[in-house]
PDB file of all heavy atoms in Angstrom:
ATOM      1  N   THR A1393       0.869  -1.169  -0.040  1.00 94.00           N
ATOM      2  CA  THR A1393      -0.011  -0.025   0.000  1.00 94.00           C
ATOM      3  C   THR A1393       0.812   1.236  -0.004  1.00 94.00           C
ATOM      4  O   THR A1393       1.856   1.319   0.800  1.00 94.00           O
ATOM      5  CB  THR A1393      -0.854  -0.006   1.222  1.00 94.00           C
ATOM      6  OG1 THR A1393      -1.663  -1.173   1.269  1.00 94.00           O
ATOM      7  CG2 THR A1393      -1.838   1.232   1.318  1.00 94.00           C
ATOM      8  N   VAL A1394       0.569   2.146  -0.889  1.00 94.00           N
ATOM      9  CA  VAL A1394       1.332   3.414  -0.930  1.00 94.00           C
ATOM     10  C   VAL A1394       0.340   4.609  -1.013  1.00 94.00           C
ATOM     11  O   VAL A1394      -0.738   4.444  -1.477  1.00 94.00           O
ATOM     12  CB  VAL A1394       2.314   3.516  -2.141  1.00 94.00           C
ATOM     13  CG1 VAL A1394       3.331   2.431  -2.090  1.00 94.00           C
ATOM     14  CG2 VAL A1394       1.530   3.365  -3.495  1.00 94.00           C
ATOM     15  N   ARG A1395       0.812   5.657  -0.453  1.00 96.00           N
ATOM     16  CA  ARG A1395       0.010   6.905  -0.584  1.00 96.00           C
ATOM     17  C   ARG A1395       0.651   7.860  -1.647  1.00 96.00           C
ATOM     18  O   ARG A1395       1.944   8.056  -1.513  1.00 96.00           O
ATOM     19  CB  ARG A1395      -0.020   7.633   0.759  1.00 96.00           C
ATOM     20  CG  ARG A1395      -0.854   6.928   1.865  1.00 96.00           C
ATOM     21  CD  ARG A1395      -1.100   7.756   3.059  1.00 96.00           C
ATOM     22  NE  ARG A1395      -1.945   7.107   4.045  1.00 96.00           N
ATOM     23  CZ  ARG A1395      -3.274   7.055   3.987  1.00 96.00           C
ATOM     24  NH1 ARG A1395      -3.905   7.679   3.039  1.00 96.00           N
ATOM     25  NH2 ARG A1395      -3.895   6.432   4.864  1.00 96.00           N
ATOM     26  N   LEU A1396      -0.122   8.390  -2.443  1.00 96.00           N
ATOM     27  CA  LEU A1396       0.401   9.198  -3.545  1.00 96.00           C
ATOM     28  C   LEU A1396      -0.426  10.506  -3.555  1.00 96.00           C
ATOM     29  O   LEU A1396      -1.608  10.492  -3.224  1.00 96.00           O
ATOM     30  CB  LEU A1396       0.237   8.550  -4.937  1.00 96.00           C
ATOM     31  CG  LEU A1396       1.051   7.161  -5.076  1.00 96.00           C
ATOM     32  CD1 LEU A1396       0.690   6.549  -6.385  1.00 96.00           C
ATOM     33  CD2 LEU A1396       2.547   7.424  -4.940  1.00 96.00           C
ATOM     34  N   PRO A1397       0.220  11.575  -3.937  1.00 97.00           N
ATOM     35  CA  PRO A1397      -0.488  12.820  -4.169  1.00 97.00           C
ATOM     36  C   PRO A1397      -1.702  12.713  -5.135  1.00 97.00           C
ATOM     37  O   PRO A1397      -1.598  11.901  -6.045  1.00 97.00           O
ATOM     38  CB  PRO A1397       0.478  13.883  -4.614  1.00 97.00           C
ATOM     39  CG  PRO A1397       1.825  13.209  -4.351  1.00 97.00           C
ATOM     40  CD  PRO A1397       1.579  11.746  -4.328  1.00 97.00           C
ATOM     41  N   ASP A1398      -2.769  13.401  -4.880  1.00 98.00           N
ATOM     42  CA  ASP A1398      -4.055  13.265  -5.710  1.00 98.00           C
ATOM     43  C   ASP A1398      -3.691  13.551  -7.195  1.00 98.00           C
ATOM     44  O   ASP A1398      -4.225  12.876  -7.988  1.00 98.00           O
ATOM     45  CB  ASP A1398      -5.112  14.247  -5.233  1.00 98.00           C
ATOM     46  CG  ASP A1398      -5.694  13.854  -3.885  1.00 98.00           C
ATOM     47  OD1 ASP A1398      -5.540  12.626  -3.467  1.00 98.00           O
ATOM     48  OD2 ASP A1398      -6.213  14.776  -3.154  1.00 98.00           O
ATOM     49  N   ASP A1399      -2.831  14.600  -7.384  1.00 98.00           N
ATOM     50  CA  ASP A1399      -2.618  14.918  -8.818  1.00 98.00           C
ATOM     51  C   ASP A1399      -1.807  13.834  -9.570  1.00 98.00           C
ATOM     52  O   ASP A1399      -2.105  13.486 -10.714  1.00 98.00           O
ATOM     53  CB  ASP A1399      -1.848  16.263  -8.970  1.00 98.00           C
ATOM     54  CG  ASP A1399      -0.509  16.234  -8.208  1.00 98.00           C
ATOM     55  OD1 ASP A1399      -0.354  15.531  -7.209  1.00 98.00           O
ATOM     56  OD2 ASP A1399       0.391  16.991  -8.648  1.00 98.00           O
ATOM     57  N   LEU A1400      -0.947  13.059  -8.798  1.00 97.00           N
ATOM     58  CA  LEU A1400      -0.286  11.983  -9.398  1.00 97.00           C
ATOM     59  C   LEU A1400      -1.225  10.797  -9.695  1.00 97.00           C
ATOM     60  O   LEU A1400      -1.160  10.185 -10.719  1.00 97.00           O
ATOM     61  CB  LEU A1400       0.886  11.527  -8.397  1.00 97.00           C
ATOM     62  CG  LEU A1400       1.850  10.545  -8.955  1.00 97.00           C
ATOM     63  CD1 LEU A1400       2.563  11.023 -10.266  1.00 97.00           C
ATOM     64  CD2 LEU A1400       2.968  10.281  -7.888  1.00 97.00           C
ATOM     65  N   VAL A1401      -2.153  10.603  -8.805  1.00 97.00           N
ATOM     66  CA  VAL A1401      -3.153   9.511  -8.964  1.00 97.00           C
ATOM     67  C   VAL A1401      -3.958   9.865 -10.167  1.00 97.00           C
ATOM     68  O   VAL A1401      -4.293   8.929 -10.961  1.00 97.00           O
ATOM     69  CB  VAL A1401      -4.000   9.284  -7.731  1.00 97.00           C
ATOM     70  CG1 VAL A1401      -5.089   8.241  -8.029  1.00 97.00           C
ATOM     71  CG2 VAL A1401      -3.144   8.818  -6.603  1.00 97.00           C
ATOM     72  N   ARG A1402      -4.342  11.097 -10.316  1.00 98.00           N
ATOM     73  CA  ARG A1402      -5.150  11.523 -11.455  1.00 98.00           C
ATOM     74  C   ARG A1402      -4.410  11.235 -12.731  1.00 98.00           C
ATOM     75  O   ARG A1402      -5.095  10.753 -13.772  1.00 98.00           O
ATOM     76  CB  ARG A1402      -5.598  12.999 -11.422  1.00 98.00           C
ATOM     77  CG  ARG A1402      -6.750  13.230 -10.432  1.00 98.00           C
ATOM     78  CD  ARG A1402      -7.367  14.578 -10.623  1.00 98.00           C
ATOM     79  NE  ARG A1402      -6.342  15.639 -10.094  1.00 98.00           N
ATOM     80  CZ  ARG A1402      -6.302  15.983  -8.903  1.00 98.00           C
ATOM     81  NH1 ARG A1402      -6.999  15.542  -7.922  1.00 98.00           N
ATOM     82  NH2 ARG A1402      -5.380  16.959  -8.597  1.00 98.00           N
ATOM     83  N   SER A1403      -3.092  11.548 -12.813  1.00 98.00           N
ATOM     84  CA  SER A1403      -2.338  11.247 -13.981  1.00 98.00           C
ATOM     85  C   SER A1403      -2.304   9.801 -14.272  1.00 98.00           C
ATOM     86  O   SER A1403      -2.383   9.356 -15.445  1.00 98.00           O
ATOM     87  CB  SER A1403      -0.952  11.748 -13.756  1.00 98.00           C
ATOM     88  OG  SER A1403      -0.964  13.261 -13.704  1.00 98.00           O
ATOM     89  N   VAL A1404      -2.071   8.974 -13.289  1.00 98.00           N
ATOM     90  CA  VAL A1404      -2.056   7.525 -13.444  1.00 98.00           C
ATOM     91  C   VAL A1404      -3.332   6.982 -13.948  1.00 98.00           C
ATOM     92  O   VAL A1404      -3.383   6.292 -14.893  1.00 98.00           O
ATOM     93  CB  VAL A1404      -1.641   6.826 -12.170  1.00 98.00           C
ATOM     94  CG1 VAL A1404      -1.872   5.341 -12.222  1.00 98.00           C
ATOM     95  CG2 VAL A1404      -0.226   7.100 -11.748  1.00 98.00           C
ATOM     96  N   ASP A1405      -4.466   7.466 -13.417  1.00 98.00           N
ATOM     97  CA  ASP A1405      -5.722   7.130 -13.812  1.00 98.00           C
ATOM     98  C   ASP A1405      -6.029   7.479 -15.258  1.00 98.00           C
ATOM     99  O   ASP A1405      -6.702   6.834 -15.961  1.00 98.00           O
ATOM    100  CB  ASP A1405      -6.907   7.657 -12.901  1.00 98.00           C
ATOM    101  CG  ASP A1405      -6.924   6.981 -11.532  1.00 98.00           C
ATOM    102  OD1 ASP A1405      -6.386   5.896 -11.382  1.00 98.00           O
ATOM    103  OD2 ASP A1405      -7.555   7.575 -10.599  1.00 98.00           O
ATOM    104  N   GLY A1406      -5.492   8.580 -15.612  1.00 98.00           N
ATOM    105  CA  GLY A1406      -5.610   9.126 -17.042  1.00 98.00           C
ATOM    106  C   GLY A1406      -4.927   8.159 -17.982  1.00 98.00           C
ATOM    107  O   GLY A1406      -5.463   7.830 -19.030  1.00 98.00           O
ATOM    108  N   LEU A1407      -3.729   7.655 -17.648  1.00 97.00           N
ATOM    109  CA  LEU A1407      -3.125   6.650 -18.405  1.00 97.00           C
ATOM    110  C   LEU A1407      -3.884   5.369 -18.646  1.00 97.00           C
ATOM    111  O   LEU A1407      -3.959   4.772 -19.702  1.00 97.00           O
ATOM    112  CB  LEU A1407      -1.728   6.306 -17.840  1.00 97.00           C
ATOM    113  CG  LEU A1407      -0.686   7.448 -17.867  1.00 97.00           C
ATOM    114  CD1 LEU A1407       0.544   7.085 -17.051  1.00 97.00           C
ATOM    115  CD2 LEU A1407      -0.238   7.789 -19.367  1.00 97.00           C
ATOM    116  N   VAL A1408      -4.468   4.952 -17.521  1.00 98.00           N
ATOM    117  CA  VAL A1408      -5.298   3.734 -17.574  1.00 98.00           C
ATOM    118  C   VAL A1408      -6.605   4.023 -18.358  1.00 98.00           C
ATOM    119  O   VAL A1408      -6.897   3.130 -19.272  1.00 98.00           O
ATOM    120  CB  VAL A1408      -5.669   3.275 -16.169  1.00 98.00           C
ATOM    121  CG1 VAL A1408      -6.664   2.081 -16.212  1.00 98.00           C
ATOM    122  CG2 VAL A1408      -4.401   2.912 -15.335  1.00 98.00           C
ATOM    123  N   ALA A1409      -7.232   5.102 -18.144  1.00 98.00           N
ATOM    124  CA  ALA A1409      -8.451   5.400 -18.901  1.00 98.00           C
ATOM    125  C   ALA A1409      -8.168   5.586 -20.403  1.00 98.00           C
ATOM    126  O   ALA A1409      -9.071   5.140 -21.233  1.00 98.00           O
ATOM    127  CB  ALA A1409      -9.091   6.695 -18.399  1.00 98.00           C
ATOM    128  N   SER A1410      -7.029   6.070 -20.769  1.00 98.00           N
ATOM    129  CA  SER A1410      -6.697   6.271 -22.242  1.00 98.00           C
ATOM    130  C   SER A1410      -6.240   4.934 -22.884  1.00 98.00           C
ATOM    131  O   SER A1410      -6.111   4.906 -24.080  1.00 98.00           O
ATOM    132  CB  SER A1410      -5.645   7.323 -22.414  1.00 98.00           C
ATOM    133  OG  SER A1410      -4.475   6.896 -21.843  1.00 98.00           O
ATOM    134  N   GLY A1411      -6.005   3.931 -22.051  1.00 97.00           N
ATOM    135  CA  GLY A1411      -5.547   2.647 -22.631  1.00 97.00           C
ATOM    136  C   GLY A1411      -4.004   2.680 -22.746  1.00 97.00           C
ATOM    137  O   GLY A1411      -3.441   1.619 -23.202  1.00 97.00           O
ATOM    138  N   ASP A1412      -3.343   3.643 -22.249  1.00 97.00           N
ATOM    139  CA  ASP A1412      -1.864   3.653 -22.302  1.00 97.00           C
ATOM    140  C   ASP A1412      -1.197   2.774 -21.251  1.00 97.00           C
ATOM    141  O   ASP A1412      -0.054   2.495 -21.257  1.00 97.00           O
ATOM    142  CB  ASP A1412      -1.316   5.070 -22.214  1.00 97.00           C
ATOM    143  CG  ASP A1412      -1.606   5.976 -23.437  1.00 97.00           C
ATOM    144  OD1 ASP A1412      -1.704   5.238 -24.584  1.00 97.00           O
ATOM    145  OD2 ASP A1412      -1.843   7.142 -23.260  1.00 97.00           O
ATOM    146  N   ALA A1413      -2.068   2.335 -20.220  1.00 97.00           N
ATOM    147  CA  ALA A1413      -1.555   1.414 -19.201  1.00 97.00           C
ATOM    148  C   ALA A1413      -2.698   0.432 -18.856  1.00 97.00           C
ATOM    149  O   ALA A1413      -3.857   0.801 -18.945  1.00 97.00           O
ATOM    150  CB  ALA A1413      -1.197   2.306 -18.023  1.00 97.00           C
ATOM    151  N   ARG A1414      -2.253  -0.719 -18.462  1.00 97.00           N
ATOM    152  CA  ARG A1414      -3.295  -1.722 -18.089  1.00 97.00           C
ATOM    153  C   ARG A1414      -3.950  -1.409 -16.766  1.00 97.00           C
ATOM    154  O   ARG A1414      -5.158  -1.641 -16.572  1.00 97.00           O
ATOM    155  CB  ARG A1414      -2.676  -3.119 -17.947  1.00 97.00           C
ATOM    156  CG  ARG A1414      -2.146  -3.710 -19.260  1.00 97.00           C
ATOM    157  CD  ARG A1414      -1.607  -5.145 -19.004  1.00 97.00           C
ATOM    158  NE  ARG A1414      -1.151  -5.338 -17.632  1.00 97.00           N
ATOM    159  CZ  ARG A1414       0.168  -5.472 -17.305  1.00 97.00           C
ATOM    160  NH1 ARG A1414       1.110  -5.268 -18.278  1.00 97.00           N
ATOM    161  NH2 ARG A1414       0.548  -5.697 -16.068  1.00 97.00           N
ATOM    162  N   SER A1415      -3.220  -0.893 -15.836  1.00 97.00           N
ATOM    163  CA  SER A1415      -3.758  -0.650 -14.425  1.00 97.00           C
ATOM    164  C   SER A1415      -2.881   0.299 -13.766  1.00 97.00           C
ATOM    165  O   SER A1415      -1.746   0.672 -14.113  1.00 97.00           O
ATOM    166  CB  SER A1415      -3.805  -2.027 -13.701  1.00 97.00           C
ATOM    167  OG  SER A1415      -2.457  -2.497 -13.521  1.00 97.00           O
ATOM    168  N   ARG A1416      -3.406   0.766 -12.561  1.00 96.00           N
ATOM    169  CA  ARG A1416      -2.553   1.596 -11.679  1.00 96.00           C
ATOM    170  C   ARG A1416      -1.221   0.825 -11.326  1.00 96.00           C
ATOM    171  O   ARG A1416      -0.220   1.378 -11.327  1.00 96.00           O
ATOM    172  CB  ARG A1416      -3.318   1.963 -10.426  1.00 96.00           C
ATOM    173  CG  ARG A1416      -4.409   2.982 -10.607  1.00 96.00           C
ATOM    174  CD  ARG A1416      -5.108   3.135  -9.316  1.00 96.00           C
ATOM    175  NE  ARG A1416      -5.974   4.322  -9.265  1.00 96.00           N
ATOM    176  CZ  ARG A1416      -6.819   4.669  -8.324  1.00 96.00           C
ATOM    177  NH1 ARG A1416      -6.858   3.860  -7.264  1.00 96.00           N
ATOM    178  NH2 ARG A1416      -7.504   5.730  -8.396  1.00 96.00           N
ATOM    179  N   ALA A1417      -1.451  -0.416 -11.003  1.00 96.00           N
ATOM    180  CA  ALA A1417      -0.276  -1.244 -10.572  1.00 96.00           C
ATOM    181  C   ALA A1417       0.785  -1.302 -11.582  1.00 96.00           C
ATOM    182  O   ALA A1417       1.940  -1.258 -11.359  1.00 96.00           O
ATOM    183  CB  ALA A1417      -0.778  -2.583 -10.133  1.00 96.00           C
ATOM    184  N   SER A1418       0.328  -1.451 -12.850  1.00 96.00           N
ATOM    185  CA  SER A1418       1.270  -1.604 -13.963  1.00 96.00           C
ATOM    186  C   SER A1418       2.092  -0.316 -14.142  1.00 96.00           C
ATOM    187  O   SER A1418       3.290  -0.326 -14.447  1.00 96.00           O
ATOM    188  CB  SER A1418       0.592  -2.072 -15.214  1.00 96.00           C
ATOM    189  OG  SER A1418      -0.157  -0.961 -15.766  1.00 96.00           O
ATOM    190  N   VAL A1419       1.446   0.869 -13.940  1.00 97.00           N
ATOM    191  CA  VAL A1419       2.136   2.086 -14.035  1.00 97.00           C
ATOM    192  C   VAL A1419       3.166   2.241 -12.918  1.00 97.00           C
ATOM    193  O   VAL A1419       4.386   2.622 -13.088  1.00 97.00           O
ATOM    194  CB  VAL A1419       1.190   3.331 -14.011  1.00 97.00           C
ATOM    195  CG1 VAL A1419       1.895   4.626 -13.937  1.00 97.00           C
ATOM    196  CG2 VAL A1419       0.186   3.242 -15.146  1.00 97.00           C
ATOM    197  N   VAL A1420       2.800   1.844 -11.676  1.00 96.00           N
ATOM    198  CA  VAL A1420       3.752   1.998 -10.601  1.00 96.00           C
ATOM    199  C   VAL A1420       4.874   0.947 -10.763  1.00 96.00           C
ATOM    200  O   VAL A1420       6.087   1.348 -10.542  1.00 96.00           O
ATOM    201  CB  VAL A1420       3.028   1.685  -9.249  1.00 96.00           C
ATOM    202  CG1 VAL A1420       3.950   1.590  -8.129  1.00 96.00           C
ATOM    203  CG2 VAL A1420       1.946   2.772  -8.953  1.00 96.00           C
ATOM    204  N   GLU A1421       4.579  -0.264 -11.280  1.00 95.00           N
ATOM    205  CA  GLU A1421       5.563  -1.324 -11.436  1.00 95.00           C
ATOM    206  C   GLU A1421       6.595  -0.804 -12.467  1.00 95.00           C
ATOM    207  O   GLU A1421       7.837  -0.819 -12.314  1.00 95.00           O
ATOM    208  CB  GLU A1421       4.965  -2.519 -11.876  1.00 95.00           C
ATOM    209  CG  GLU A1421       5.955  -3.657 -12.049  1.00 95.00           C
ATOM    210  CD  GLU A1421       5.313  -4.954 -12.519  1.00 95.00           C
ATOM    211  OE1 GLU A1421       4.113  -5.033 -12.639  1.00 95.00           O
ATOM    212  OE2 GLU A1421       5.982  -5.939 -12.691  1.00 95.00           O
ATOM    213  N   LEU A1422       6.140  -0.274 -13.562  1.00 95.00           N
ATOM    214  CA  LEU A1422       7.047   0.211 -14.673  1.00 95.00           C
ATOM    215  C   LEU A1422       7.919   1.423 -14.110  1.00 95.00           C
ATOM    216  O   LEU A1422       9.107   1.386 -14.448  1.00 95.00           O
ATOM    217  CB  LEU A1422       6.227   0.677 -15.883  1.00 95.00           C
ATOM    218  CG  LEU A1422       6.967   1.234 -17.004  1.00 95.00           C
ATOM    219  CD1 LEU A1422       7.940   0.198 -17.644  1.00 95.00           C
ATOM    220  CD2 LEU A1422       6.017   1.637 -18.194  1.00 95.00           C
ATOM    221  N   ALA A1423       7.334   2.308 -13.405  1.00 96.00           N
ATOM    222  CA  ALA A1423       8.021   3.492 -12.867  1.00 96.00           C
ATOM    223  C   ALA A1423       9.136   3.005 -11.948  1.00 96.00           C
ATOM    224  O   ALA A1423      10.296   3.505 -11.987  1.00 96.00           O
ATOM    225  CB  ALA A1423       7.112   4.462 -12.154  1.00 96.00           C
ATOM    226  N   LEU A1424       8.846   2.041 -11.059  1.00 95.00           N
ATOM    227  CA  LEU A1424       9.860   1.540 -10.157  1.00 95.00           C
ATOM    228  C   LEU A1424      10.924   0.733 -10.904  1.00 95.00           C
ATOM    229  O   LEU A1424      12.131   0.970 -10.602  1.00 95.00           O
ATOM    230  CB  LEU A1424       9.207   0.610  -9.105  1.00 95.00           C
ATOM    231  CG  LEU A1424       8.431   1.244  -8.048  1.00 95.00           C
ATOM    232  CD1 LEU A1424       7.570   0.222  -7.190  1.00 95.00           C
ATOM    233  CD2 LEU A1424       9.254   2.044  -7.094  1.00 95.00           C
ATOM    234  N   GLU A1425      10.621  -0.025 -11.827  1.00 95.00           N
ATOM    235  CA  GLU A1425      11.633  -0.663 -12.665  1.00 95.00           C
ATOM    236  C   GLU A1425      12.497   0.252 -13.293  1.00 95.00           C
ATOM    237  O   GLU A1425      13.780   0.119 -13.335  1.00 95.00           O
ATOM    238  CB  GLU A1425      10.966  -1.654 -13.682  1.00 95.00           C
ATOM    239  CG  GLU A1425      10.379  -2.892 -13.043  1.00 95.00           C
ATOM    240  CD  GLU A1425       9.507  -3.658 -14.035  1.00 95.00           C
ATOM    241  OE1 GLU A1425       9.238  -3.199 -15.163  1.00 95.00           O
ATOM    242  OE2 GLU A1425       9.169  -4.763 -13.685  1.00 95.00           O
ATOM    243  N   ARG A1426      11.940   1.345 -13.939  1.00 95.00           N
ATOM    244  CA  ARG A1426      12.781   2.357 -14.644  1.00 95.00           C
ATOM    245  C   ARG A1426      13.736   3.058 -13.675  1.00 95.00           C
ATOM    246  O   ARG A1426      14.859   3.323 -13.897  1.00 95.00           O
ATOM    247  CB  ARG A1426      11.866   3.290 -15.348  1.00 95.00           C
ATOM    248  CG  ARG A1426      11.327   2.735 -16.584  1.00 95.00           C
ATOM    249  CD  ARG A1426      10.520   3.702 -17.318  1.00 95.00           C
ATOM    250  NE  ARG A1426       9.930   3.233 -18.526  1.00 95.00           N
ATOM    251  CZ  ARG A1426       9.048   3.793 -19.292  1.00 95.00           C
ATOM    252  NH1 ARG A1426       8.531   4.934 -19.015  1.00 95.00           N
ATOM    253  NH2 ARG A1426       8.579   3.165 -20.420  1.00 95.00           N
ATOM    254  N   HIS A1427      13.174   3.427 -12.451  1.00 95.00           N
ATOM    255  CA  HIS A1427      13.941   4.059 -11.489  1.00 95.00           C
ATOM    256  C   HIS A1427      15.172   3.167 -11.036  1.00 95.00           C
ATOM    257  O   HIS A1427      16.304   3.691 -10.914  1.00 95.00           O
ATOM    258  CB  HIS A1427      13.169   4.535 -10.298  1.00 95.00           C
ATOM    259  CG  HIS A1427      13.816   5.079  -9.202  1.00 95.00           C
ATOM    260  ND1 HIS A1427      14.377   6.350  -9.295  1.00 95.00           N
ATOM    261  CD2 HIS A1427      14.239   4.643  -7.981  1.00 95.00           C
ATOM    262  CE1 HIS A1427      15.082   6.612  -8.177  1.00 95.00           C
ATOM    263  NE2 HIS A1427      14.980   5.657  -7.379  1.00 95.00           N
ATOM    264  N   LEU A1428      14.806   1.898 -10.687  1.00 95.00           N
ATOM    265  CA  LEU A1428      15.884   0.980 -10.284  1.00 95.00           C
ATOM    266  C   LEU A1428      16.927   0.863 -11.289  1.00 95.00           C
ATOM    267  O   LEU A1428      18.158   0.699 -11.004  1.00 95.00           O
ATOM    268  CB  LEU A1428      15.264  -0.340  -9.776  1.00 95.00           C
ATOM    269  CG  LEU A1428      14.448  -0.223  -8.598  1.00 95.00           C
ATOM    270  CD1 LEU A1428      13.718  -1.563  -8.330  1.00 95.00           C
ATOM    271  CD2 LEU A1428      15.183   0.274  -7.334  1.00 95.00           C
ATOM    272  N   ARG A1429      16.559   0.689 -12.571  1.00 94.00           N
ATOM    273  CA  ARG A1429      17.549   0.592 -13.649  1.00 94.00           C
ATOM    274  C   ARG A1429      18.402   1.841 -13.703  1.00 94.00           C
ATOM    275  O   ARG A1429      19.643   1.768 -13.892  1.00 94.00           O
ATOM    276  CB  ARG A1429      16.868   0.411 -15.019  1.00 94.00           C
ATOM    277  CG  ARG A1429      16.488  -1.078 -15.293  1.00 94.00           C
ATOM    278  CD  ARG A1429      16.151  -1.343 -16.702  1.00 94.00           C
ATOM    279  NE  ARG A1429      15.128  -0.387 -17.195  1.00 94.00           N
ATOM    280  CZ  ARG A1429      13.794  -0.699 -17.212  1.00 94.00           C
ATOM    281  NH1 ARG A1429      13.319  -1.711 -16.727  1.00 94.00           N
ATOM    282  NH2 ARG A1429      12.985   0.210 -17.746  1.00 94.00           N
ATOM    283  N   ARG A1430      17.807   3.084 -13.515  1.00 93.00           N
ATOM    284  CA  ARG A1430      18.596   4.328 -13.581  1.00 93.00           C
ATOM    285  C   ARG A1430      19.523   4.305 -12.406  1.00 93.00           C
ATOM    286  O   ARG A1430      20.690   4.748 -12.612  1.00 93.00           O
ATOM    287  CB  ARG A1430      17.596   5.489 -13.462  1.00 93.00           C
ATOM    288  CG  ARG A1430      18.342   6.758 -13.515  1.00 93.00           C
ATOM    289  CD  ARG A1430      17.413   7.941 -13.480  1.00 93.00           C
ATOM    290  NE  ARG A1430      18.194   9.153 -13.421  1.00 93.00           N
ATOM    291  CZ  ARG A1430      17.824  10.319 -13.776  1.00 93.00           C
ATOM    292  NH1 ARG A1430      16.617  10.471 -14.296  1.00 93.00           N
ATOM    293  NH2 ARG A1430      18.579  11.401 -13.692  1.00 93.00           N
ATOM    294  N   VAL A1431      19.165   3.884 -11.293  1.00 93.00           N
ATOM    295  CA  VAL A1431      20.050   3.880 -10.026  1.00 93.00           C
ATOM    296  C   VAL A1431      21.216   3.027 -10.365  1.00 93.00           C
ATOM    297  O   VAL A1431      22.358   3.462 -10.111  1.00 93.00           O
ATOM    298  CB  VAL A1431      19.295   3.497  -8.830  1.00 93.00           C
ATOM    299  CG1 VAL A1431      20.211   3.190  -7.624  1.00 93.00           C
ATOM    300  CG2 VAL A1431      18.232   4.554  -8.358  1.00 93.00           C
TER     301      VAL A1431
END
């Protein structure tokens, strides 16, 4: 469970609604993977 700012959640929901992402979880997973690769 994570807490995110409302504007960030709206952006994530927009990606899901537009079909650019499967789910909120997939957006978070992809973002974490990218961040870890960058580190």
Side-chain angles (χ1 to χ4, degrees):
T1393 303
V1394 296
R1395 291 191 178 276
L1396 300 172
D1398 291 340
D1399 58 330
L1400 191 56
V1401 174
R1402 280 191 295 274
S1403 295
V1404 169
D1405 287 345
L1407 291 171
V1408 174
S1410 69
D1412 290 329
R1414 292 186 331 258
S1415 65
R1416 286 174 166 177
S1418 68
V1419 174
V1420 173
E1421 182 179 1
L1422 180 60
L1424 285 172
E1425 288 172 348
R1426 286 181 178 170
H1427 176 72
L1428 293 173
R1429 280 195 306 268
R1430 181 180 176 155
V1431 167

